[in-house]
Amino acid sequence: MAAVVAPAVLLLWGVSVPGGYFDVLVAALVAWSLVGMAWLVVGVSNVVALPRPRRRRLGRLWPLLLVPTVFAASWTAASGDLVGRATFSVHRSELERVAVEEAATPSLGHGDVGLYSFESISRAQGCVLFGVRDPGMARGAGFAWCPGRVPMNDDAEGFVFEPFDGDWYVFLVRHGLWKNRFQGARPWGLQITELNTRTPT
């Protein structure tokens, strides 16, 4: 039962940023597959090992229900924007501190803030953009801090901005820059079909 903790945590961590972390999500899916196979083997062997009549003794196997319960709960939580919003609220003050520093003296380039790992921190359109390192469900994704302004979608580059919280926006550059730039991945949540179409680098 303890084996479900690692894949559940990896899955939730993988969707904590817009576009998700590719490597973390793949590790979570592999770990869940391994846990699922082990659960199936253990479940079948325990049912076979029950003395007859088995129906009366199936109640002893209630711990086997924990794996599918944790799987369903983590998958449900990872599919929405709950994890992303909660993680952002924890790191918001530190992100704003970094954004103010970058706006004053553009020099940071990239860095980590808590659970966030950014491949770039830059300025554009009067905003500070935090580009997520190795997003899994989009070509590019991240946060934009735009105090007092609304960023414009950039058709040439395929940037699509979505209001998030106050002066904060999330942005995506979806896979298929030209043909699919306004449909496809959503900013938040686990989207397996978009993970499969990841653009090779």
Side-chain angles (χ1 to χ4, degrees):
M1 298 307 159
V4 299
V5 174
V9 168
L10 285 171
L11 188 62
L12 298 177
W13 177 24
V15 297
S16 66
V17 293
Y21 290 123
F22 180 77
D23 293 338
V24 176
L25 287 172
V26 168
L29 296 174
V30 168
W32 269 123
S33 299
L34 295 173
V35 167
M37 287 187 284
W39 174 80
L40 189 60
V41 168
V42 169
V44 168
S45 10
N46 278 308
V47 168
V48 169
L50 283 175
R52 295 185 182 271
R54 290 189 178 116
R55 285 185 185 167
R56 293 184 187 167
R57 294 178 171 84
L58 284 177
R60 295 180 186 178
L61 301 179
W62 69 266
L64 289 173
L65 295 177
L66 293 176
V67 171
T69 302
V70 172
F71 173 78
S74 66
W75 197 274
T76 301
S79 295
D81 64 351
L82 218 56
V83 175
R85 289 185 179 278
T87 307
F88 179 81
S89 66
V90 169
H91 294 90
R92 181 177 183 151
S93 60
E94 182 64 13
L95 285 169
E96 286 183 358
R97 182 192 66 74
V98 172
V100 167
E101 286 178 13
E102 179 66 18
T105 7
S107 60
L108 295 175
H110 60 84
D112 296 339
V113 177
L115 291 176
Y116 297 138
S117 183
F118 300 114
E119 67 183 359
S120 65
I121 302 173
S122 58
R123 293 191 304 175
Q125 298 188 40
C127 303
V128 175
L129 304 179
F130 293 80
V132 170
R133 181 173 286 129
D134 199 23
M137 293 167 285
R139 184 183 296 255
F143 297 104
W145 182 64
C146 306
R149 63 184 65 231
V150 176
M152 301 295 293
N153 292 342
D154 185 343
D155 290 346
E157 294 296 322
F159 273 79
V160 179
F161 292 91
E162 182 178 293
F164 181 53
D165 189 0
D167 290 332
W168 286 94
Y169 294 77
V170 293
F171 68 84
L172 283 180
V173 181
R174 293 179 171 94
H175 297 298
L177 187 59
W178 295 106
K179 65 179 180 180
N180 193 27
R181 67 182 183 275
F182 298 116
Q183 53 187 328
R186 300 180 314 275
W188 299 108
L190 180 62
Q191 301 155 68
I192 295 296
T193 57
E194 294 301 320
L195 190 63
N196 288 337
T197 61
R198 180 176 185 259
T199 306
T201 55

